[in-house]
Each structure stands twice: as structure tokens, then as C-alpha cells.
Amino acid sequence: MLWIHKVRHRFFSFIASALTLVAVFVVNTASPVFVYSGETPEELLK
């Protein structure tokens, strides 16, 4: 039964690492899009 806990721990550690990498990738790709927003629409300049 001890090996089941080791396998479960490795599995959840892998899932946590994968989700962390996905989150970092999403944040890094969204930042340049947010920084460059183009010109301000005229409706907001009024």
C-alpha cells in the first residue's frame, strides 16, 4: 500500500507542475497583448 501513496504523490506533483507551467505560459503570452493596446478609441477620449 505504501507504493500506491508514492505513485499518487508523483502523479499529483506532476499535475501541479504541469498546471504551473500552463499558468506561466498564459500570463507571459497575455502580457505583451495587454501592454500594446493600440490607439485609444474616440469614445473614450470624450
Side-chain angles (χ1 to χ4, degrees), residues 36-46:
Y36 177 74
S37 58
E39 299 203 12
T40 306
E42 289 190 26
E43 292 83 15
L44 296 177
L45 296 175
K46 293 181 181 181

Side-chain angles (χ1 to χ4, degrees), residues 1-34:
M1 184 125 110
L2 183 62
W3 66 274
I4 293 175
H5 293 293
K6 288 183 180 180
V7 170
R8 187 179 295 171
H9 183 268
R10 284 188 180 178
F11 175 72
F12 285 122
S13 295
F14 174 77
I15 295 295
S17 298
L19 290 176
T20 301
L21 288 175
V22 169
V24 168
F25 177 76
V26 168
V27 167
N28 284 335
T29 55
S31 294
V33 174
F34 180 73

